[in-house]
Amino acid sequence: MATSSTSSLSASRVHDYFETGPNHILCKISGLEQESFPETFHDSWDINHVRLACSGRIYPTDVSLWPEIVKGLNETIVTSQQLSEVMLRWNKGKQNGWNINALDAFLNNRSIEEYDRAQGAHSDVALDDDELRAAQAALESDEYLSNNSEAEGFDHQDEVPQQQPLHQHSQGDAGGIEPSGGPLKSQFLSREEREHFFDVILPRMQALALRLPELITKPIPFLKQQQDAAVTLSQEQIACLLANAFFNTFPCRNVPYKRGRKKRPAFKRGNSSGTNVGQSQQQQQAGEDEDDDESDEEEEAHPRAKQSSRGGGRGGARGCRGGRGGGGQVNPPYSKKKSLNAPRPPRKHRYTGPAAQFEFIEDSNVTELSARVENLKMKDKDVTRETAEAASSSSTQPKTGEQEWLSKMPSINFISMFWSEENRTPCTTAQAAKLRCILHYFDRVTSEMPAGTVTYHRQVLKKPTYLAAGERLTDDDFCFSKVTVDSMTPIEEAPQGALQLDFANRNIGGGTLEKGAVQEEIRFMVCPELIISRLFCQQMEANEAVLIKGAERYSNYVGYSKTFEWYSNHRDSTPRDKLGRRWTEICAIDARPFRSRISRLEQFDRHYCLREINKAIVGFRISPINASEWGMARQDDDGDVSASTARYRPIATGNWGCGAFGGHLQLKFVLQWIAASMCGGFSPETGRLGDDVLYYTFGMHQLKCEIEEFVKAVEAMDKNLDPKRVVECLTQYPRRNPAGDIQGFREKSLLEYLSTAIAFVPQA
């Protein structure tokens, strides 16, 4: 029970850190008094709402393409070539370089092989010679990947060993895509499955997509940056929106045609090194832009990520063991790469407004912080004024508001998933598995439409915390919460009621709609209702998280990254709350990227440690909207919101930001443990200081033993630890030169060093 002094303190500072915004419920809920819904589609074409295909106008032509979409989706489609022609009518795909070669290969490769064996079996009669050769080449290349990927055991994209087939739990029938259930011989569609898709699933998807103006009658608001708000949709509405994303009907929401989708420049004569000139320029640009937070799937296009990933196992600089993750050897003098001794360029400022405080989070001096933020705002105003003047001078240039709106939104149309580069494998096993997950989802929902809802809550931390005791809204002494470590179970198998972490990209979903197949992308594939968050969630900033409650799981899988495969159908038996949401809550938080060897050492700076702790706190903090049985739309049966938030809710997390983002494994555990132990101290609705941690190491048994040993050492201490002091110990772990620059790691691992250091830290 909170004391009276604590209650008065909470009342006076109730919104210091969090202020819960509205929950926009866009579907009719039984038992809930709601304002009347419009019977017909209400158009709202502005920068505050999602722009739908059924709108009366389509940017930038001001001519609606909905009649063309209705005409195309009312046609009977029996071949992949016809499907391509229909979808590209409203996407200008040919002139922009888009294609659906990956989808075509997924639908036809195995059918072609079976056709050749059967000598006369039906296949896609519309395939021309070029498509046939491309499909056969893809099949051969895919067989090579399938036979060799298991032997690698390590993915250059992620510095974490690949997951083993631990979650092969088959529940229920597999549906029409794979009637027999169980493991598949191939991720590509068989002839029978292909016929089932064109004869049954695709016509249902077409009819579902055309119900858009019937199901979405109220405009869907954007969950904008620095605005705490939520959107609740029915699962039927989500299925309709995803069907439109499959047919690529959302205007202005394709992935920009850039980088990997451009034709590779030819080799320049006279280049003695024999390297591709365009590629070397791209490497140089990538090196300069090392802190750019891109999606994981784009790492394959950047040799920079491949160069740094091998040096991150247990080492820092040469001769230093370093305790898992970070660092690498010093480059030779003749190398063009940056040396560890090279001066670090000034930190780039990403944010404006409230998020700018997190750029200077190492400055606890409020006066100096305010001065810096104000200075940054003045510079931003000058830039905005110059941009506005340039825009007004050119009538053909889009408005600044349009540019800002488009640049902050992830893609949602599936064309990027269907696309493949020329002269490359059209569809790999992992891509085929992702497409199979999507088709299995549509097969399920079009056969038996679920009747629940899903809530997407964007949560905002209004100002940074520096871990001082006086900042918390409770007088409870800080102590670390309980930790349970598991090396075999995936996060999605966490106990019911646990908050399940999504190791997110700042563009939520990351490479879901491209070639990525790591933790976030896999979760979005087995729970496709998560994908629709990309429709209305802008990029996350340093003080924001997205919490999603109610997403249903439809598929089981095996493997990871290149070995990812769809395994079987999954029947989700998680109970629902009063609002119709399943009691499955997923928290999407993006870690700071540390891709270069220099930046991997700098992640021990106090600034970056506090940034990650604040990011984890905003994600771990209980969402009142999700905790409430009615989504705060009405009072819960058991009392107010505080009673709902008092339920036991452990935090299921793991190696957050430790793959392509280069995070230090042991450091990330300590930072998340601190955040979980005090996340409730900044929320007036929470009746406890912190939450227990369920930590999943994804097959890393040695890391599990190291964490358990460290946790036992901390629990054995007979004194309360100050989290601020623990962070100071973290910053002292790297070896530094007399100037204070980080040179490498100590011989001891981080947890070994920390268990000794905190025992001798004088407590305030």
Side-chain angles (χ1 to χ4, degrees), residues 156-157 292 294-306 308 595 660-661:
H156 80 273
Q157 195 178 41
D292 186 23
E294 297 166 354
S295 56
D296 292 348
E297 80 282 359
E298 290 183 348
E299 286 296 312
E300 294 180 357
H302 295 274
R304 165 177 53 82
K306 191 179 296 184
S308 61
R595 293 196 177 100
F661 281 13

Side-chain angles (χ1 to χ4, degrees), residues 511-525:
T512 296
L513 299 184
E514 297 196 41
K515 298 182 180 180
V518 288
Q519 195 265 356
E520 180 176 33
E521 289 84 358
I522 291 175
R523 189 63 193 265
F524 274 56
M525 287 296 104

Side-chain angles (χ1 to χ4, degrees), residues 106-121:
F106 167 71
L107 295 173
N108 300 309
N109 278 3
R110 192 172 168 194
S111 297
I112 293 172
E113 186 181 50
E114 293 177 353
Y115 172 81
D116 292 338
R117 289 178 189 161
Q119 295 182 354

